[in-house]
Amino acid sequence: MSTRERILDAAALVMREQGVAHATTKEIARAAGCSEALLYRHFDDKQGLFMAVLQERLPRFALPDDAVGTATVAANLERFVAGLLDFYVGSFPISASIFSSSTLLARHRESIAAEGAGPQMPQLLLEAYLKAERDKGRVRADADVEAVARLLVGAALYQAFLATFWGDGRVDEPGLGERLVAPVLPTLLPA
């Protein structure tokens, strides 16, 4: 395993335990078994390390490029929501503390803006998918895909919050993705 990979693994562990606001590069370096100077050879700062953890150590929630027109819309939505649940459950313990520091939150906003990322991305990805399915005739022409995307992302966020809040971290209960998706299907699918 490369030094960078060890540092990322250690950062994910330390940030999960302490939150990004309280984790220090010194603790992360110690957990990785390297010096802080070596950590800084791989990452410019803690924010860069945090971004790398979010991008490389948390579950992904994107649909495959070839999802449009494949499987069923319901199955694709369930898969997306399941990935989103896993991402949120993995990211909450790491990132929730970011809101405790206006300086840290401002730096994070700048960093994600520079990456072209942010909390709006799941909704935008889902909305783009639904529009593409609408173009193929697999989603109703009059469907409000923006509202459906917001509802599904919001439902996933809420369920992940509850799992994190109550401490079980479980979003793998059988049928959860299906139960979140099922109520929106009548507004999406052609009759």
Side-chain angles (χ1 to χ4, degrees):
M1 178 183 296
S2 74
T3 301
R4 184 181 187 285
E5 296 297 312
R6 279 196 346 265
I7 292 169
L8 276 174
D9 287 346
L13 177 69
V14 171
M15 288 177 180
R16 196 173 301 115
E17 291 173 353
Q18 299 180 23
V20 71
H22 302 291
T24 65
T25 54
K26 186 175 193 169
E27 290 171 293
I28 293 167
R30 183 175 37 248
C34 68
S35 70
E36 203 171 1
L38 184 56
L39 181 147
Y40 282 115
R41 282 192 213 140
H42 293 276
F43 300 95
D44 292 336
D45 55 17
K46 185 169 80 169
Q47 180 61 31
L49 186 53
F50 174 49
M51 290 300 293
V53 167
L54 289 177
Q55 293 168 350
E56 299 176 39
R57 290 299 183 266
L58 293 178
R60 302 307 334 142
F61 54 81
L63 285 165
D65 290 338
D66 64 352
V68 176
T70 63
T72 64
V73 171
N76 287 335
L77 291 175
E78 289 168 18
R79 183 169 51 175
F80 183 85
V81 167
L84 198 53
L85 286 163
D86 289 341
F87 174 81
Y88 285 144
V89 165
S91 67
F92 279 156
I94 293 171
S95 59
S97 67
I98 207 168
F99 293 96
S100 68
S101 165
S102 59
T103 303
L104 189 57
L105 182 56
R107 278 197 313 246
H108 184 62
R109 282 185 192 127
E110 291 170 11
S111 182
I112 63 173
E115 295 276 332
Q120 74 283 2
M121 293 311 295
Q123 181 206 326
L124 295 176
L125 289 169
L126 191 50
E127 194 175 331
Y129 163 74
L130 291 171
K131 285 178 180 176
E133 289 287 20
R134 184 171 58 195
D135 291 345
K136 285 202 166 285
R138 291 175 21 119
V139 165
R140 290 175 34 173
D142 64 342
D144 187 344
V145 296
E146 179 183 356
V148 168
R150 283 179 188 265
L151 284 168
L152 288 176
V153 170
L157 183 67
Y158 177 69
Q159 290 297 320
F161 171 78
L162 288 177
T164 304
F165 181 83
W166 291 114
D168 61 10
R170 294 198 57 226
V171 288
D172 61 350
E173 80 181 65
L176 178 59
E178 183 179 338
R179 285 196 315 277
L180 294 178
V181 170
V184 302
L185 290 177
T187 68
L188 280 177
L189 303 180

